[in-house]
Amino acid sequence: MEVISEKDEMRGIVERAKAGGLTVGLVPTMGYFHEGHLELMRRARAECDLVVVTLFVNPTQFAPGEDLEAYPRDFERDRGLAEGVGVDYVFAPEADEMYPAGSSTRVEVEGLSGVMCGRARPTHFSGVATVVCKLFNIIPAQKAYFGQKDAQQVAVVRRMAADLDFPVSIVPVPTVREPDGLAMSSRNVYMEPDEREQAVALSESLAAARELVESGERDAGAVAAAMRDVFARYPAVELEYISICDNIFLRPLDELEGQVLVAVAARVGRARLIDNMLLDVK
Ligand code: AMP
């Protein structure tokens, strides 16, 4: 495995591989790897000839006062884990390689970026769309792997790739969880032990929603109310939103029908956590 820090070198490697008939898989990350990241890499390894993982804590997706400086980092450990699952290249640029002085272009995916997490983080998804757009240009892979844990990110990236005509297929990968159900996240380390115990509220609320829908409930208000009942049992968890919406446009639903995204966000101590599930409602 090789670590590359310059855009031109990275693009050259990918272009030569594609000219030689290879399929390239891209896995964008901010590092501090856990099993969720490794699952994306394994999936790319299984489906592509050449696997490129990017490791970049992207400043444009953090607002002032968010956790850019505190974001956990451990490059040597990440390098070993990526190598262990058979990654070919890690692209780990410095911030000024990605955003040289004078950079001023932002990619804005309207509509999808302002709802759900976009309410608390109004500039976040334009930062994500901008960096992913740049990564698609630097690493013109045929397939790009994203975790379903960040469902809104998947929706934004799919829209951006379609709208800007990137010939890449976006592959969503199911959420990897801790044994008690908590979705794995680099930010889980921000929680104190008692907070960590209560963080199961998110996945438990989703399980309660699933159970209700499976028993025949189709009213979104009733499902959300059952989810709020779960949160009420966990005082350390401050619910930010529950969204019951379609999975493409993220428009809220009154009645559950078809592919339904049920998503939650909550604050637990220093951590802001998100989780979701997709339901196929007949
Ligand atoms: P991050 O480094 O947190 O930006 O995440 C990099 C990629 O890994 C994103 O596509 C995330 O959606 C994905 N990811 C993060 N956590 C998980 C998880 N628990 N299961 C599956 N994918 C995940």
Side-chain angles (χ1 to χ4, degrees), residues 28-31 34 36-37 40 71 145-150 153 173-177 183-186:
T29 82
M30 299 204 299
H34 51 66
H37 297 111
L40 268 60
Y71 198 83
Y145 296 81
F146 291 87
Q148 186 57 45
K149 198 210 111 190
D150 297 277
Q153 174 167 281
V173 177
T175 302
V176 178
R177 298 175 179 283
M184 288 190 180
S185 164
S186 307

Side-chain angles (χ1 to χ4, degrees), residues 163-183:
D163 290 354
L164 299 184
D165 303 300
F166 281 105
V168 57
S169 77
I170 307 301
V171 184
V173 177
T175 302
V176 178
R177 298 175 179 283
E178 300 287 356
D180 69 352
L182 176 67

